[in-house]
Amino acid sequence: MSTKYTIAGVVLLCGVIAGHAVQAAEAYPLRPIRMIIPFPPGGSNDILGRLVGQHVGERLGQTVVIDNRPGAGSTLGIGLAAQAEPDGYTILIISAAHAFGPSLYKKLPYHPVKSFEPISKLGTGPSVFTVHPSVPVKSMQDLVAYARANPGKLNFASAGVGSAQHLWFEYFKMRSGVNIVHVPFKGGSPAMVDVMAGNTQIAIGTIVQMLPLIKTGKLRGLATGGSKRNAALPDLPTLDEAGVKGYEGSNWWGVLAPAKTPKAIVDRLDKTFAAVLANDDIKTKFVNMGAEVDYLSQGELFRFLAAETDKWTKVAKQAGIQAQ
């Protein structure tokens, strides 16, 4: 057989394979899609995942089934997604916790970059700093002054060592120079219960989670951790405005697929998420929850993940944080 016929055969085969891939993407999905959320129901990841997942399912003509898989600081659910069949029928909601893992755990059951295909970034939700109403402070400046005058007497509650709340607060301590004691709990709910009972005095979380507690007066909001004021709490300054210069600590949400998921399917999912996020009703729902749509496409999400991982790795190392 001559070389030219061999080359022609390879070209023809590649064309056939490419054609089948396009056809598969056009037919996709043929059954429900599983969306793994590596956190328990009721948190910001779950709330945003269910909202967006419903609309994505409607556009694709299939149900998006929510599969909550909490545990080990989200690494359990992330590992499960990494091991799933790369056929487009398993996708993963990630958050800022995805950028924390490499610096907190000596060994992960996945590679945070190589184990996945980026699909889309969904949105951003800044943190909000709150205190129990009995704490004699009305602003972030008051809190910093009180903490400096009473070193080690205030406590802040988190969802556990290495959680988003923990890293956000350690970053705050680095920027403000205060001495406030960390009290880790096994999850965000018991941490919030303890602060609302007045046993610990300070709590941080996303506005998505904390807004109802602030609105009902169970907690007093002091400042938000975003780069600008949040529409859901417009009277609260950012930490930077309140004197903690350079501070920014926000949660964010994105979607990944297992590595080797066909590019044509990843592209279709990306376009579908982009279309959902462009909907004015979705944008309004995000804002009402204290978040905002912040879409990034595949390549942009990849670069964003790298920058976030670098930032929080430095914070974790400087604070000496290692997950238990």
Side-chain angles (χ1 to χ4, degrees):
M1 182 180 293
S2 69
T3 302
K4 69 177 182 179
Y5 288 118
T6 302
I7 294 174
V10 170
V11 171
L12 178 61
L13 179 61
C14 290
V16 170
I17 292 173
H20 286 167
V22 171
Q23 290 175 358
E26 290 175 349
Y28 168 87
L30 298 174
R31 62 178 190 271
I33 299 168
R34 176 174 63 156
M35 177 184 281
I36 294 177
I37 299 178
F39 289 95
S44 62
N45 301 274
D46 184 67
I47 294 169
L48 269 293
R50 289 177 185 275
L51 171 62
V52 176
Q54 177 186 345
H55 288 268
V56 166
E58 290 171 359
R59 284 183 174 271
L60 291 175
Q62 287 287 351
T63 302
V64 174
V65 179
I66 303 301
D67 186 4
N68 293 94
R69 293 298 183 106
S74 81
T75 62
L76 190 153
I78 296 173
L80 183 67
Q83 296 163 12
E85 189 72 25
D87 55 7
Y89 290 97
T90 296
I91 56 178
L92 169 72
I93 289 286
I94 60 167
S95 63
H98 192 79
F100 302 161
S103 63
L104 299 174
Y105 295 90
K106 293 181 179 180
K107 187 176 181 180
L108 291 172
Y110 57 87
H111 189 284
V113 177
K114 295 179 182 179
S115 296
F116 300 99
E117 303 291 344
I119 298 176
S120 311
K121 185 185 178 194
L122 306 179
T124 301
S127 57
V128 57
F129 283 57
T130 68
V131 295
H132 186 269
S134 64
V135 180
V137 301
K138 302 290 185 181
S139 67
M140 183 54 67
Q141 292 94 330
D142 289 347
L143 177 64
V144 171
Y146 185 85
R148 286 175 178 167
N150 300 274
K153 291 187 178 181
L154 289 176
N155 300 319
F156 78 94
S158 82
V161 174
S163 63
Q165 298 97 320
H166 187 192
L167 269 77
W168 288 335
F169 205 85
E170 292 296 341
Y171 190 44
F172 163 71
K173 287 167 64 178
M174 292 176 190
R175 289 283 179 178
S176 62
V178 297
N179 177 7
I180 298 175
V181 179
H182 175 220
V183 181
F185 288 82
K186 292 182 178 180
S189 293
M192 290 300 102
V193 169
D194 201 70
V195 176
M196 286 188 289
N199 299 321
T200 44
Q201 298 86 36
I202 304 170
I204 313 170
T206 61
I207 295 177
V208 174
Q209 297 168 299
M210 309 290 274
L211 188 61
L213 303 178
I214 295 171
K215 292 291 188 182
T216 56
K218 293 179 180 178
L219 295 174
R220 179 184 298 138
L222 300 181
T224 61
S227 59
K228 59 184 179 181
R229 293 200 180 200
N230 188 270
L233 293 169
D235 295 332
L236 289 190
T238 66
L239 267 86
D240 185 80
E241 288 178 311
V244 186
K245 294 299 181 183
Y247 185 94
E248 184 174 355
S250 297
N251 201 5
W252 48 262
W253 305 274
V255 190
L256 305 178
K260 299 183 180 180
T261 298
K263 187 177 186 307
I265 289 177
V266 172
D267 288 344
R268 183 163 187 204
L269 285 167
D270 182 22
K271 290 177 182 178
T272 304
F273 277 102
V276 168
L277 296 172
N279 183 285
D280 288 339
D281 182 54
I282 293 294
K283 291 180 180 179
T284 299
K285 287 179 178 177
F286 268 57
V287 169
N288 289 342
M289 290 187 293
E292 64 179 348
V293 167
D294 187 17
Y295 168 76
L296 293 179
S297 62
Q298 301 162 50
E300 294 170 321
L301 174 57
F302 183 86
R303 290 186 288 274
F304 173 79
L305 280 173
E308 279 286 284
T309 301
D310 181 64
K311 172 182 176 177
W312 294 108
T313 294
K314 291 176 181 176
V315 171
K317 286 183 178 179
Q318 187 173 340
I321 302 172
Q322 188 168 342
Q324 298 173 337

